[in-house]
Protein backbone atom coordinates (compact mmCIF):
# COMPACT_ATOMS: atom_id res chain seq x y z
CA UNK A 1 0.00 0.00 0.00
CA UNK A 2 1.36 3.41 -0.94
CA UNK A 3 0.34 7.05 -1.20
CA UNK A 4 -2.26 8.86 0.87
CA UNK A 5 -4.06 5.57 1.41
CA UNK A 6 -1.02 4.19 3.25
CA UNK A 7 -0.77 7.29 5.41
CA UNK A 8 -4.42 7.08 6.37
CA UNK A 9 -4.26 3.33 6.97
CA UNK A 10 -1.38 3.71 9.44
CA UNK A 11 -2.98 6.68 11.19
CA UNK A 12 -0.12 8.81 9.86
CA UNK A 13 -1.96 12.15 9.79
CA UNK A 14 -2.93 11.89 13.46
CA UNK A 15 0.54 10.77 14.56
CA UNK A 16 2.19 13.63 12.68
CA UNK A 17 -0.26 16.23 13.96
CA UNK A 18 -0.05 15.07 17.57
CA UNK A 19 3.72 14.69 17.35
CA UNK A 20 4.26 18.22 16.04
CA UNK A 21 1.87 19.60 18.67
CA UNK A 22 3.69 17.84 21.51
CA UNK A 23 7.12 19.05 20.33
CA UNK A 24 5.78 22.59 20.02
CA UNK A 25 4.00 22.57 23.35
CA UNK A 26 7.03 21.03 25.09
CA UNK A 27 9.43 23.67 23.82
CA UNK A 28 6.88 26.46 24.30
CA UNK A 29 6.37 25.40 27.91
CA UNK A 30 10.12 25.27 28.44
CA UNK A 31 10.60 28.69 26.83
CA UNK A 32 7.89 30.24 29.02
CA UNK A 33 9.41 28.77 32.16
CA UNK A 34 12.94 29.88 31.34
CA UNK A 35 11.74 33.33 30.32
CA UNK A 36 10.49 33.73 33.91
CA UNK A 37 13.40 31.95 35.55
CA UNK A 38 15.67 34.97 35.80
CA UNK A 39 12.85 37.02 37.35
CA UNK A 40 12.32 34.37 40.02
CA UNK A 41 16.05 34.22 40.70
CA UNK A 42 16.25 37.99 40.78
CA UNK A 43 13.45 38.06 43.35
CA UNK A 44 15.20 35.35 45.36
CA UNK A 45 18.42 37.35 45.42
CA UNK A 46 16.58 40.44 46.66
CA UNK A 47 14.29 38.59 49.05
CA UNK A 48 15.73 40.31 52.17
CA UNK A 49 15.02 43.72 50.68
CA UNK A 50 11.51 42.58 49.80
CA UNK A 51 10.74 41.26 53.28
CA UNK A 52 12.11 44.44 54.85
CA UNK A 53 9.80 46.48 52.66
CA UNK A 54 6.90 44.26 53.70
CA UNK A 55 7.88 44.79 57.33
CA UNK A 56 7.93 48.52 56.67
CA UNK A 57 4.36 48.33 55.43
CA UNK A 58 3.40 46.43 58.59
CA UNK A 59 4.95 49.23 60.65
CA UNK A 60 2.59 51.70 59.04
CA UNK A 61 -0.27 49.79 60.57
CA UNK A 62 1.45 49.97 63.96
CA UNK A 63 1.30 53.78 63.98
CA UNK A 64 -0.96 54.78 66.90
CA UNK A 65 -4.28 56.03 65.67
CA UNK A 66 -5.45 59.46 66.75
CA UNK A 67 -9.04 60.20 67.44
CA UNK A 68 -10.61 63.23 65.85
CA UNK A 69 -13.38 64.72 67.97
CA UNK A 70 -16.78 65.00 66.22
CA UNK A 71 -16.66 68.82 66.22
CA UNK A 72 -13.27 68.76 64.48
CA UNK A 73 -14.29 66.25 61.79
CA UNK A 74 -15.70 68.85 59.41
CA UNK A 75 -12.73 71.18 59.99
CA UNK A 76 -10.25 68.38 59.30
CA UNK A 77 -12.15 67.52 56.10
CA UNK A 78 -12.02 71.14 54.86
CA UNK A 79 -8.33 71.67 55.64
CA UNK A 80 -7.51 68.27 54.22
CA UNK A 81 -9.09 69.27 50.93
CA UNK A 82 -7.04 72.48 50.86
CA UNK A 83 -3.82 70.69 51.76
CA UNK A 84 -4.40 68.13 49.01
CA UNK A 85 -4.32 70.99 46.51
CA UNK A 86 -0.86 71.93 47.79
CA UNK A 87 0.57 68.43 47.37
CA UNK A 88 2.60 66.35 49.83
CA UNK A 89 4.30 67.59 51.98
CA UNK A 90 2.76 71.03 52.18
CA UNK A 91 3.85 74.41 53.44
CA UNK A 92 1.98 75.73 56.49
CA UNK A 93 2.00 79.45 55.41
CA UNK A 94 0.51 78.47 52.06
CA UNK A 95 -2.20 76.41 53.78
CA UNK A 96 -2.98 79.40 55.98
CA UNK A 97 -3.07 81.69 52.95
CA UNK A 98 -5.36 79.31 51.07
CA UNK A 99 -7.68 78.97 54.10
CA UNK A 100 -7.93 82.76 54.30
CA UNK A 101 -8.68 83.06 50.58
CA UNK A 102 -11.41 80.43 50.92
CA UNK A 103 -13.00 82.39 53.75
CA UNK A 104 -12.60 79.76 56.47
CA UNK A 105 -13.07 81.26 59.94
CA UNK A 106 -10.11 81.65 62.33
CA UNK A 107 -7.59 79.83 60.20
CA UNK A 108 -4.70 80.67 62.58
CA UNK A 109 -6.30 79.12 65.65
CA UNK A 110 -7.74 76.18 63.70
CA UNK A 111 -4.35 75.23 62.25
CA UNK A 112 -2.85 75.69 65.72
CA UNK A 113 -5.41 73.19 67.12
CA UNK A 114 -4.63 70.77 64.30
CA UNK A 115 -0.92 71.04 65.16
CA UNK A 116 -1.51 70.61 68.90
CA UNK A 117 -3.65 67.53 68.34
CA UNK A 118 -0.92 66.23 65.99
CA UNK A 119 -3.40 65.91 63.17
CA UNK A 120 -0.88 67.91 61.15
CA UNK A 121 2.72 66.89 61.85
CA UNK A 122 6.04 68.46 60.78
CA UNK A 123 8.29 66.36 58.52
CA UNK A 124 11.43 67.88 60.04
CA UNK A 125 12.38 69.72 56.87
CA UNK A 126 10.13 72.77 57.21
CA UNK A 127 7.06 71.15 55.67
CA UNK A 128 4.06 69.36 57.12
CA UNK A 129 1.93 66.35 56.39
CA UNK A 130 -1.20 64.75 57.79
CA UNK A 131 -0.94 62.15 60.49
CA UNK A 132 -0.63 58.67 58.89
CA UNK A 133 -3.76 57.37 60.63
CA UNK A 134 -5.88 59.95 58.81
CA UNK A 135 -6.51 58.22 55.50
CA UNK A 136 -6.49 60.28 52.35
CA UNK B 1 49.93 -27.62 -3.42
CA UNK B 2 48.33 -25.92 -6.39
CA UNK B 3 44.93 -26.91 -5.05
CA UNK B 4 45.76 -25.49 -1.66
CA UNK B 5 46.84 -22.27 -3.27
CA UNK B 6 43.65 -22.09 -5.38
CA UNK B 7 41.51 -22.91 -2.36
CA UNK B 8 43.20 -20.22 -0.33
CA UNK B 9 42.75 -17.73 -3.16
CA UNK B 10 39.08 -18.58 -3.48
CA UNK B 11 38.68 -17.69 0.19
CA UNK B 12 40.32 -14.31 -0.07
CA UNK B 13 38.46 -11.07 -0.34
CA UNK B 14 39.76 -10.58 -3.88
CA UNK B 15 37.97 -13.70 -5.06
CA UNK B 16 34.80 -13.14 -3.08
CA UNK B 17 34.32 -9.45 -3.87
CA UNK B 18 31.76 -8.34 -6.39
CA UNK B 19 30.81 -4.91 -7.76
CA UNK B 20 28.73 -4.08 -4.64
CA UNK B 21 31.77 -4.36 -2.40
CA UNK B 22 33.66 -2.07 -4.74
CA UNK B 23 30.82 0.46 -4.68
CA UNK B 24 30.72 0.43 -0.89
CA UNK B 25 34.51 0.72 -0.61
CA UNK B 26 34.35 3.73 -2.93
CA UNK B 27 31.67 5.27 -0.68
CA UNK B 28 33.88 4.65 2.34
CA UNK B 29 36.87 6.24 0.64
CA UNK B 30 34.69 9.22 -0.34
CA UNK B 31 33.66 9.67 3.30
CA UNK B 32 37.27 9.59 4.42
CA UNK B 33 38.19 12.05 1.67
CA UNK B 34 35.35 14.45 2.61
CA UNK B 35 36.34 14.24 6.26
CA UNK B 36 40.07 14.75 5.82
CA UNK B 37 40.33 16.93 2.72
CA UNK B 38 37.11 18.93 2.90
CA UNK B 39 36.81 18.98 6.72
CA UNK B 40 33.14 17.93 6.53
CA UNK B 41 32.45 16.54 10.03
CA UNK B 42 35.82 14.72 10.10
CA UNK B 43 35.22 13.30 13.58
CA UNK B 44 32.25 11.39 12.20
CA UNK B 45 32.99 10.81 8.54
CA UNK B 46 36.47 9.36 9.08
CA UNK B 47 35.35 6.66 11.57
CA UNK B 48 32.24 5.89 9.50
CA UNK B 49 34.24 5.86 6.27
CA UNK B 50 36.81 3.47 7.68
CA UNK B 51 34.01 1.40 9.21
CA UNK B 52 32.53 1.05 5.71
CA UNK B 53 35.88 -0.30 4.54
CA UNK B 54 35.96 -2.76 7.46
CA UNK B 55 32.41 -3.89 6.83
CA UNK B 56 32.93 -4.45 3.13
CA UNK B 57 35.90 -6.72 3.08
CA UNK B 58 34.19 -9.96 2.00
CA UNK B 59 34.60 -12.63 4.68
CA UNK B 60 33.54 -16.19 5.18
CA UNK B 61 30.23 -16.53 6.89
CA UNK B 62 30.46 -18.63 10.04
CA UNK B 63 34.01 -17.69 10.99
CA UNK B 64 32.82 -15.08 13.46
CA UNK B 65 34.23 -12.13 11.56
CA UNK B 66 31.26 -10.17 10.23
CA UNK B 67 29.42 -7.60 12.30
CA UNK B 68 26.15 -9.52 11.96
CA UNK B 69 27.65 -12.78 13.31
CA UNK B 70 26.76 -13.18 16.94
CA UNK B 71 30.21 -14.25 18.17
CA UNK B 72 32.33 -11.68 16.36
CA UNK B 73 34.32 -8.87 17.98
CA UNK B 74 32.62 -6.35 15.71
CA UNK B 75 29.25 -7.67 16.82
CA UNK B 76 30.09 -7.02 20.48
CA UNK B 77 31.20 -3.50 19.65
CA UNK B 78 28.02 -3.06 17.60
CA UNK B 79 25.90 -4.03 20.63
CA UNK B 80 26.36 -0.47 21.87
CA UNK B 81 24.47 0.68 18.79
CA UNK B 82 21.75 -1.97 18.68
CA UNK B 83 21.07 -1.71 22.41
CA UNK B 84 20.93 2.08 22.21
CA UNK B 85 23.82 2.60 24.67
CA UNK B 86 26.10 4.80 22.55
CA UNK B 87 23.68 7.61 21.61
CA UNK B 88 22.83 8.61 25.20
CA UNK B 89 26.56 8.64 26.04
CA UNK B 90 27.11 10.97 23.11
CA UNK B 91 24.31 13.16 24.47
CA UNK B 92 26.10 13.22 27.82
CA UNK B 93 29.15 14.66 26.08
CA UNK B 94 27.07 17.10 24.03
CA UNK B 95 25.42 18.32 27.24
CA UNK B 96 28.80 18.79 28.87
CA UNK B 97 30.02 20.96 26.02
CA UNK B 98 26.85 22.95 25.26
CA UNK B 99 26.35 26.48 26.51
CA UNK B 100 22.61 27.22 26.73
CA UNK B 101 23.18 30.92 27.52
CA UNK B 102 21.77 32.39 24.31
CA UNK B 103 18.71 30.19 24.54
CA UNK B 104 18.15 31.27 28.14
CA UNK B 105 18.61 34.90 27.13
CA UNK B 106 16.12 34.70 24.24
CA UNK B 107 13.66 31.86 24.89
CA UNK B 108 11.52 32.92 21.93
CA UNK B 109 14.21 31.53 19.61
CA UNK B 110 13.51 28.08 21.03
CA UNK B 111 10.36 27.96 18.95
CA UNK B 112 12.47 27.95 15.80
CA UNK B 113 13.99 24.71 17.04
CA UNK B 114 10.48 23.33 17.45
CA UNK B 115 9.42 24.45 13.95
CA UNK B 116 12.37 22.73 12.32
CA UNK B 117 11.15 19.42 13.73
CA UNK B 118 8.34 19.56 11.17
CA UNK B 119 10.90 17.86 8.93
CA UNK B 120 10.68 14.73 11.09
CA UNK B 121 6.93 14.37 10.85
CA UNK B 122 6.58 15.34 7.18
CA UNK B 123 9.28 12.83 6.25
CA UNK B 124 7.47 10.24 8.35
CA UNK B 125 4.37 10.87 6.22
CA UNK B 126 6.48 10.72 3.04
CA UNK B 127 8.00 7.39 4.07
CA UNK B 128 4.57 5.97 4.83
CA UNK B 129 3.38 7.15 1.42
CA UNK B 130 6.32 5.37 -0.23
CA UNK B 131 5.22 2.11 1.34
CA UNK B 132 7.55 1.83 4.33
CA UNK B 133 6.13 0.16 7.44
CA UNK B 134 5.24 2.62 10.25
CA UNK B 135 8.27 1.64 12.38
CA UNK B 136 10.59 2.13 9.42
CA UNK B 137 8.87 5.38 8.44
CA UNK B 138 9.38 6.75 11.95
CA UNK B 139 13.07 5.82 11.84
CA UNK B 140 13.46 7.47 8.44
CA UNK B 141 11.55 10.54 9.60
CA UNK B 142 13.98 11.13 12.44
CA UNK B 143 16.72 11.84 9.88
CA UNK B 144 14.94 15.19 9.53
CA UNK B 145 15.98 15.93 13.11
CA UNK B 146 19.53 16.22 11.75
CA UNK B 147 20.74 14.48 14.84
CA UNK B 148 22.85 11.37 14.23
CA UNK B 149 22.72 9.87 17.75
CA UNK B 150 18.95 10.41 17.98
CA UNK B 151 18.43 8.80 14.57
CA UNK B 152 20.53 5.79 15.58
CA UNK B 153 18.82 5.51 18.96
CA UNK B 154 15.32 5.49 17.51
CA UNK B 155 16.21 3.19 14.63
CA UNK B 156 17.84 0.72 17.05
CA UNK B 157 14.55 0.60 18.93
CA UNK B 158 12.14 0.55 15.98
CA UNK B 159 13.85 -0.79 12.86
CA UNK B 160 17.31 -2.20 13.72
CA UNK B 161 17.69 -3.60 10.21
CA UNK B 162 17.82 -0.04 8.86
CA UNK B 163 20.49 1.33 11.21
CA UNK B 164 23.19 1.27 8.55
CA UNK B 165 21.46 3.26 5.82
CA UNK B 166 19.76 5.63 8.26
CA UNK B 167 22.93 6.38 10.20
CA UNK B 168 24.93 6.89 7.04
CA UNK B 169 22.20 9.11 5.57
CA UNK B 170 21.88 11.15 8.77
CA UNK B 171 25.60 11.71 9.17
CA UNK B 172 26.14 12.33 5.45
CA UNK B 173 23.51 15.04 5.38
CA UNK B 174 24.79 16.50 8.65
CA UNK B 175 28.19 16.74 7.03
CA UNK B 176 26.59 18.30 3.97
CA UNK B 177 24.69 20.98 5.92
CA UNK B 178 26.94 23.72 4.42
CA UNK B 179 25.93 22.48 0.97
CA UNK B 180 22.22 21.69 1.50
CA UNK B 181 21.06 24.65 3.59
CA UNK B 182 22.37 27.85 1.95
CA UNK B 183 20.34 27.59 -1.32
CA UNK B 184 17.12 27.03 0.67
CA UNK B 185 17.99 29.92 2.98
CA UNK B 186 18.59 32.30 0.07
CA UNK B 187 15.46 31.12 -1.71
CA UNK B 188 13.13 31.70 1.23
CA UNK B 189 14.48 35.01 2.53
CA UNK B 190 14.86 38.45 1.01
CA UNK B 191 18.10 40.43 1.19
CA UNK B 192 16.42 42.88 3.56
CA UNK B 193 15.54 40.02 5.91
CA UNK B 194 19.04 38.59 5.77
CA UNK B 195 20.40 41.98 6.80
CA UNK B 196 18.38 42.12 10.04
CA UNK B 197 20.66 42.56 13.01
CA UNK B 198 19.93 40.84 16.25
CA UNK B 199 20.08 42.54 19.63
CA UNK B 200 22.90 41.59 21.93
CA UNK B 201 21.54 38.89 24.28
CA UNK B 202 21.44 39.70 27.98
CA UNK B 203 24.07 38.27 30.28
CA UNK B 204 22.85 35.01 31.82
CA UNK B 205 23.77 34.35 35.44
CA UNK B 206 25.60 31.26 36.61
CA UNK B 207 22.73 30.25 38.91
CA UNK B 208 20.28 30.43 36.01
CA UNK B 209 22.49 28.20 33.90
CA UNK B 210 22.80 25.76 36.79
CA UNK B 211 19.06 25.49 37.41
CA UNK B 212 18.13 25.19 33.72
CA UNK B 213 19.25 21.56 33.20
CA UNK B 214 17.14 20.43 36.15
CA UNK B 215 14.04 22.34 35.04
CA UNK B 216 14.59 21.42 31.38
CA UNK B 217 14.98 17.76 32.24
CA UNK B 218 11.89 17.60 34.42
CA UNK B 219 9.66 19.51 32.01
CA UNK B 220 10.65 17.67 28.84
CA UNK B 221 10.95 14.17 30.26
CA UNK B 222 7.64 14.37 32.07
CA UNK B 223 6.11 15.36 28.73
CA UNK B 224 7.87 12.71 26.64
CA UNK B 225 9.20 10.00 28.98
CA UNK B 226 10.45 7.96 26.03
CA UNK B 227 13.08 10.64 25.45
CA UNK B 228 14.49 9.97 28.93
CA UNK B 229 17.70 8.17 27.88
CA UNK B 230 18.66 10.99 25.51
CA UNK B 231 17.42 14.07 27.33
CA UNK B 232 18.34 12.68 30.75
CA UNK B 233 21.98 12.38 29.80
CA UNK B 234 21.98 15.62 27.80
CA UNK B 235 20.79 17.66 30.78
CA UNK B 236 22.93 15.66 33.20
CA UNK B 237 26.01 16.45 31.12
CA UNK B 238 25.02 20.11 31.10
CA UNK B 239 24.56 20.14 34.87
CA UNK B 240 28.06 18.66 35.28
CA UNK B 241 29.37 21.53 33.15
CA UNK B 242 27.50 24.32 34.89
CA UNK B 243 27.84 23.05 38.45
CA UNK B 244 31.57 23.97 38.39
CA UNK B 245 32.31 21.64 41.33
CA UNK B 246 31.95 18.66 38.95
CA UNK B 247 34.29 20.10 36.35
CA UNK B 248 36.41 16.92 36.29
CA UNK B 249 33.38 14.82 35.38
CA UNK B 250 32.30 17.37 32.77
CA UNK B 251 35.77 17.27 31.22
CA UNK B 252 35.63 13.47 31.10
CA UNK B 253 32.17 13.57 29.50
CA UNK B 254 33.12 16.09 26.82
CA UNK B 255 36.50 14.57 26.00
CA UNK B 256 37.34 10.96 26.73
CA UNK B 257 33.79 9.56 26.97
CA UNK B 258 32.34 11.24 23.89
CA UNK B 259 35.51 10.64 21.87
CA UNK B 260 35.65 6.92 22.72
CA UNK B 261 31.96 6.46 21.99
CA UNK B 262 32.18 8.43 18.74
CA UNK B 263 34.98 6.17 17.54
CA UNK B 264 33.04 3.01 18.40
CA UNK B 265 29.73 4.32 17.11
CA UNK B 266 31.12 5.69 13.85
CA UNK B 267 33.21 2.67 13.10
CA UNK B 268 30.54 0.06 13.86
CA UNK B 269 27.80 1.99 12.07
CA UNK B 270 30.10 2.16 9.04
CA UNK B 271 30.86 -1.54 9.34
CA UNK B 272 27.15 -2.32 9.44
CA UNK B 273 26.77 -1.07 5.88
CA UNK B 274 27.73 -4.34 4.28
CA UNK B 275 27.06 -4.32 0.58
CA UNK B 276 24.43 -7.06 0.66
CA UNK B 277 22.32 -5.28 3.31
CA UNK B 278 23.08 -1.69 2.30
CA UNK B 279 22.81 -1.58 -1.49
CA UNK B 280 19.09 -2.05 -1.77
CA UNK B 281 16.26 0.01 -3.25
CA UNK B 282 15.17 0.70 0.33
CA UNK B 283 18.45 2.47 1.04
CA UNK B 284 18.00 4.65 -2.04
CA UNK B 285 14.53 5.60 -0.77
CA UNK B 286 15.99 6.40 2.65
CA UNK B 287 18.64 8.66 1.10
CA UNK B 288 16.09 10.51 -1.02
CA UNK B 289 13.73 10.98 1.93
CA UNK B 290 16.65 12.01 4.14
CA UNK B 291 17.63 14.78 1.75
CA UNK B 292 14.01 15.92 1.55
CA UNK B 293 13.65 15.90 5.32
CA UNK B 294 16.70 18.16 5.72
CA UNK B 295 15.25 20.55 3.19
CA UNK B 296 11.82 20.53 4.84
CA UNK B 297 13.32 21.05 8.31
CA UNK B 298 15.36 24.02 7.10
CA UNK B 299 12.41 25.55 5.27
CA UNK B 300 10.08 25.05 8.26
CA UNK B 301 12.45 26.91 10.56
CA UNK B 302 12.85 29.79 8.09
CA UNK B 303 9.13 30.14 7.43
CA UNK B 304 8.29 30.00 11.13
CA UNK B 305 10.81 32.78 11.84
CA UNK B 306 9.01 34.90 9.23
CA UNK B 307 5.67 34.13 10.88
CA UNK B 308 7.05 35.20 14.27
CA UNK B 309 8.17 38.47 12.68
CA UNK B 310 4.53 39.25 11.86
CA UNK B 311 3.78 39.45 15.58
CA UNK B 312 6.87 40.89 17.25
CA UNK B 313 8.10 44.48 17.31
CA UNK B 314 11.82 43.63 17.32
CA UNK B 315 12.24 41.52 14.20
CA UNK B 316 14.39 38.42 14.23
CA UNK B 317 16.63 37.47 11.34
CA UNK B 318 14.75 34.60 9.62
CA UNK B 319 18.05 32.92 8.78
CA UNK B 320 18.11 31.82 12.42
CA UNK B 321 15.23 29.48 11.60
CA UNK B 322 17.60 27.33 9.56
CA UNK B 323 19.62 26.69 12.70
CA UNK B 324 16.59 24.92 14.18
CA UNK B 325 17.83 21.68 12.64
CA UNK B 326 19.92 20.22 15.38
CA UNK B 327 23.19 19.74 13.53
CA UNK B 328 25.21 21.45 16.28
CA UNK B 329 27.02 23.68 15.59
CA UNK B 330 27.18 23.31 11.81
CA UNK B 331 23.81 24.81 10.98
CA UNK B 332 24.53 27.78 13.29
CA UNK B 333 27.80 28.29 11.43
CA UNK B 334 25.94 28.18 8.12
CA UNK B 335 23.56 30.89 9.38
CA UNK B 336 26.56 33.03 10.29
CA UNK B 337 28.12 32.40 6.89
CA UNK B 338 25.00 33.26 4.87
CA UNK B 339 24.31 36.31 7.03
CA UNK B 340 27.85 37.59 6.55
CA UNK B 341 27.62 37.17 2.80
CA UNK B 342 25.16 40.09 2.90
CA UNK B 343 26.76 42.05 5.72
CA UNK B 344 30.23 41.05 6.91
CA UNK B 345 29.71 42.96 10.14
CA UNK B 346 26.55 41.08 11.12
CA UNK B 347 27.33 38.38 13.66
CA UNK B 348 24.56 35.81 14.00
CA UNK B 349 26.48 32.81 15.30
CA UNK B 350 25.76 33.34 18.98
CA UNK B 351 22.06 33.97 18.33
CA UNK B 352 21.83 30.96 16.01
CA UNK B 353 23.04 28.68 18.78
CA UNK B 354 19.69 29.20 20.58
CA UNK B 355 17.49 27.47 17.97
CA UNK B 356 20.34 25.06 17.30
CA UNK B 357 20.47 23.65 20.83
CA UNK B 358 16.70 23.81 21.21
CA UNK B 359 16.58 21.73 18.02
CA UNK B 360 18.59 19.05 19.82
CA UNK B 361 16.00 19.00 22.60
CA UNK B 362 13.16 19.11 20.06
CA UNK B 363 14.46 16.21 17.99
CA UNK B 364 14.96 14.09 21.12
CA UNK B 365 11.38 14.83 22.17
CA UNK B 366 10.26 13.97 18.61
CA UNK B 367 12.13 10.65 18.82
CA UNK B 368 10.53 9.92 22.17
CA UNK B 369 7.07 10.64 20.79
CA UNK B 370 7.58 8.41 17.74
CA UNK B 371 8.96 5.62 19.90
CA UNK B 372 6.01 5.77 22.25
CA UNK B 373 3.53 5.79 19.33
CA UNK B 374 5.19 2.85 17.57
CA UNK B 375 5.96 0.59 20.50
Amino acid sequence: MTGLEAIAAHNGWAIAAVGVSIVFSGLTMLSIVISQLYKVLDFWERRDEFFQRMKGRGAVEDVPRITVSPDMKETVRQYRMLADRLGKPFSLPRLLDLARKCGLVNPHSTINRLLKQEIIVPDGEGYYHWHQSISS
Amino acid sequence: MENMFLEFFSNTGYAMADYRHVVMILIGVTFIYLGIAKHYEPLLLVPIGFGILIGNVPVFKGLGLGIYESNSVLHYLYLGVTSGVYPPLIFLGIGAMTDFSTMLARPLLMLLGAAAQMGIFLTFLGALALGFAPNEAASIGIIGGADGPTAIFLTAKLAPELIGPIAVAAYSYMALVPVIQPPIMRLLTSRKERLIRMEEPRVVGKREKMIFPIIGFLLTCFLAPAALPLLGLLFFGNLLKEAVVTERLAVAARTSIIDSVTILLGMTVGASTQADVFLTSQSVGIFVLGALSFGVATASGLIFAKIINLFVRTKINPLLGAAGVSAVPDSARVVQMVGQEEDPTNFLLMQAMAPNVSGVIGSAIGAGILWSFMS
Side-chain angles (χ1 to χ4, degrees):
Chain A
M1 199 191 305
T2 55
L4 297 180
E5 200 187 348
I7 296 175
H10 296 300
N11 209 16
W13 298 116
I15 291 173
V18 174
V20 169
S21 312
I22 295 174
V23 172
F24 255 99
S25 49
L27 289 180
T28 305
M29 187 168 65
L30 189 56
S31 71
I32 290 169
V33 170
I34 63 175
S35 69
Q36 301 306 313
L37 182 60
Y38 78 97
K39 292 179 189 166
V40 174
L41 288 175
D42 189 43
F43 167 76
W44 182 250
E45 273 163 20
R46 293 190 294 119
R47 63 191 183 280
D48 291 340
E49 195 186 313
F50 174 79
F51 288 125
Q52 268 174 6
R53 218 184 308 152
M54 290 296 283
K55 241 181 183 175
R57 275 188 198 165
V60 171
E61 286 172 9
D62 293 341
V63 172
R65 297 189 66 84
I66 56 164
T67 317
V68 179
S69 57
D71 61 311
M72 281 294 284
K73 266 190 181 164
E74 182 56 23
T75 310
V76 169
R77 195 186 66 81
Q78 288 171 343
Y79 278 81
R80 185 68 202 253
M81 281 168 69
L82 295 179
D84 284 349
R85 286 170 63 183
L86 298 173
K88 286 178 192 174
F90 55 85
S91 145
L92 215 53
R94 287 191 65 197
L95 180 66
L96 187 64
D97 192 38
L98 201 59
R100 263 197 215 123
K101 279 182 188 166
C102 292
L104 296 181
V105 282
N106 302 327
H108 264 110
S109 60
T110 311
I111 289 175
N112 193 36
R113 277 177 70 192
L114 292 172
L115 283 167
K116 275 187 177 166
Q117 291 183 21
E118 292 182 345
I119 294 172
I120 289 176
V121 284
D123 70 351
E125 292 176 16
Y127 288 88
Y128 291 79
H129 57 78
W130 293 86
H131 191 277
Q132 286 178 352
S133 69
I134 297 177
S135 58
S136 48
Chain B
M1 192 171 156
E2 193 186 323
N3 278 350
M4 276 177 70
F5 182 75
L6 285 173
E7 199 180 327
F8 175 79
F9 183 75
S10 67
N11 292 338
T12 62
Y14 296 109
M16 286 191 285
D18 60 29
Y19 76 96
R20 295 174 306 172
H21 295 105
V22 177
V23 170
M24 286 311 298
I25 286 170
L26 285 176
I27 293 173
V29 171
T30 309
F31 271 43
I32 294 170
Y33 169 76
L34 289 174
I36 295 174
K38 298 285 178 187
H39 295 195
Y40 288 168
E41 295 270 3
L43 302 181
L44 293 169
L45 289 195
V46 173
I48 292 176
F50 204 83
I52 294 175
L53 301 186
I54 291 174
N56 285 284
V57 172
V59 289
F60 256 169
K61 301 269 189 244
L63 272 184
L65 294 171
I67 199 163
Y68 295 111
E69 291 183 73
S70 60
N71 54 347
S72 74
V73 173
L74 285 176
H75 182 76
Y76 287 119
L77 296 178
Y78 192 49
L79 278 178
V81 175
T82 51
S83 61
V85 169
Y86 293 156
L89 288 174
I90 292 211
F91 263 59
L92 176 76
I94 292 172
M97 58 174 86
T98 303
D99 185 358
F100 285 99
S101 299
T102 325
M103 197 183 84
L104 291 168
R106 298 217 53 186
L108 177 70
L109 298 180
M110 279 186 82
L111 299 183
L112 301 178
Q117 307 316 314
M118 290 283 285
I120 293 177
F121 295 97
L122 291 178
T123 311
F124 165 69
L125 293 178
L128 280 180
L130 284 182
F132 283 97
N135 278 8
E136 294 170 345
S139 304
I140 295 167
I142 205 69
I143 298 174
D147 195 335
T150 306
I152 291 170
F153 180 80
L154 186 68
T155 310
K157 300 293 174 196
L158 295 180
E161 71 283 1
L162 294 183
I163 282 184
I166 285 178
V168 171
Y171 280 118
S172 311
Y173 292 132
M174 278 169 69
L176 292 174
V177 157
V179 179
I180 297 171
Q181 286 198 310
I184 303 168
M185 291 158 82
R186 290 188 201 104
L187 183 73
L188 292 176
T189 54
S190 64
R191 183 168 188 273
K192 195 180 159 194
E193 286 173 325
R194 292 196 291 272
L195 283 170
I196 294 175
R197 281 175 180 257
M198 298 293 295
E199 276 178 13
E200 192 75 13
R202 71 176 169 84
V203 177
V204 176
K206 193 71 195 163
R207 201 178 291 180
E208 203 176 337
K209 286 200 250 180
M210 236 182 275
I211 291 172
F212 168 70
I214 297 168
I215 291 179
F217 165 70
L218 292 175
L219 283 178
T220 53
C221 289
F222 268 81
L223 182 73
L228 191 67
L230 295 172
L231 289 176
L233 273 90
L234 176 81
F235 286 119
F236 174 51
N238 191 246
L239 181 64
L240 292 180
K241 173 183 178 282
E242 300 300 348
V244 184
V245 290
T246 49
E247 182 59 17
R248 265 178 57 191
L249 303 183
V251 169
R254 67 170 166 257
T255 54
S256 41
I257 292 178
I258 195 169
D259 290 346
S260 311
V261 176
T262 303
I263 290 170
L264 294 173
L265 179 90
M267 191 269 288
T268 52
V269 160
S272 72
T273 61
Q274 289 180 355
D276 49 343
V277 291
F278 190 80
L279 289 180
T280 60
S281 58
Q282 231 185 8
S283 299
V284 176
I286 289 169
F287 269 79
V288 172
L289 285 165
L292 278 176
S293 67
F294 255 68
V296 171
T298 306
S300 306
L302 290 165
I303 292 168
F304 194 72
K306 291 163 83 114
I307 293 171
I308 289 178
N309 275 346
L310 297 175
F311 301 99
V312 293
R313 219 182 317 146
T314 313
K315 305 291 178 205
I316 56 175
N317 191 317
L319 290 178
L320 297 184
V325 300
S326 44
V328 179
D330 294 350
S331 51
R333 278 198 213 125
V334 170
V335 169
Q336 163 84 348
M337 186 187 81
V338 176
Q340 289 203 325
E341 278 173 12
E342 300 295 345
D343 177 4
T345 61
N346 194 4
F347 295 95
L348 297 170
L349 183 66
M350 202 162 53
Q351 305 276 356
M353 283 307 291
N356 212 186
V357 293
S358 92
V360 175
I361 300 171
S363 59
I365 295 176
I369 294 164
L370 286 172
W371 187 17
S372 56
F373 279 147
M374 299 301 151
S375 53

